């Protein structure tokens, strides 16, 4: 994926992106969103908890946008947008992805 646009609204974010230039000639391209929250003081990131909501869903997205809500305020997040297709799980390589780094605002 390319050209990720993020719009942050307090504790939610909308991500939009453009399809990859090269899809390997396949039409069955879908996107997975990997959510990580990052601690700048420790320099470490951990996977987001199950409380984070993804609309329409987190995995197997066919559209090039997703709305993510129930994030923590004043937190830095990294979202990896992976692009996969029907043969990606047979590839020895990790999925290609684009990262978006956002920081949530004050809630309310």
């Amino acid at each position: 994926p390319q050209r990720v646009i993020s719009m942050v609204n307090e504790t939610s974010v909308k991500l939009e992106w453009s399809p990859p230039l090269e899809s390997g000639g396949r039409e069955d391209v879908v996107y997975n969103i990997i959510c990580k929250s990052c601690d700048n003081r420790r320099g470490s990131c951990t996977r987001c908890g199950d409380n984070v909501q993804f609309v329409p869903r987190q995995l197997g997205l066919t559209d090039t946008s997703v709305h993510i809500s129930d994030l923590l305020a004043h937190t830095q997040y990294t979202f990896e947008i992976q692009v996969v297709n029907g043969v990606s799980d047979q590839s020895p390589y990790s999925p290609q992805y684009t990262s978006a780094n956002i920081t949530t605002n004050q809630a309310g």
Side-chain angles (χ1 to χ4, degrees), residues 35-77:
C35 174
K36 298 176 183 175
S37 61
C38 299
D39 183 332
N40 282 338
R41 289 185 298 275
R42 292 202 306 261
S44 61
C45 297
T46 55
R47 285 280 183 115
C48 296
D50 295 335
N51 56 316
V52 176
Q53 303 295 312
F54 296 82
V55 176
R57 58 190 170 275
Q58 181 176 8
L59 303 175
L61 286 162
T62 53
D63 292 332
T64 56
S65 67
V66 66
H67 188 264
I68 305 161
S69 58
D70 293 344
L71 300 170
L72 299 173
H74 298 300
T75 303
Q76 181 180 343
Y77 288 93

Side-chain angles (χ1 to χ4, degrees), residues 12-107:
S12 68
V13 63
K14 181 173 186 185
L15 298 178
E16 295 181 352
W17 59 91
S18 301
L21 288 174
E22 179 56 59
S23 63
R26 298 186 63 94
E27 299 297 318
D28 58 348
V29 171
V30 296
Y31 305 95
N32 298 328
I33 312 299
I34 308 301
C35 174
K36 298 176 183 175
S37 61
C38 299
D39 183 332
N40 282 338
R41 289 185 298 275
R42 292 202 306 261
S44 61
C45 297
T46 55
R47 285 280 183 115
C48 296
D50 295 335
N51 56 316
V52 176
Q53 303 295 312
F54 296 82
V55 176
R57 58 190 170 275
Q58 181 176 8
L59 303 175
L61 286 162
T62 53
D63 292 332
T64 56
S65 67
V66 66
H67 188 264
I68 305 161
S69 58
D70 293 344
L71 300 170
L72 299 173
H74 298 300
T75 303
Q76 181 180 343
Y77 288 93
T78 297
F79 297 102
E80 293 178 3
I81 303 165
Q82 296 180 340
V83 58
V84 295
N85 62 29
V87 295
S88 291
D89 58 354
Q90 298 161 19
S91 169
Y93 305 106
S94 298
Q96 291 186 318
Y97 67 87
T98 299
S99 292
N101 297 314
I102 67 111
T103 302
T104 51
N105 308 332
Q106 177 68 43

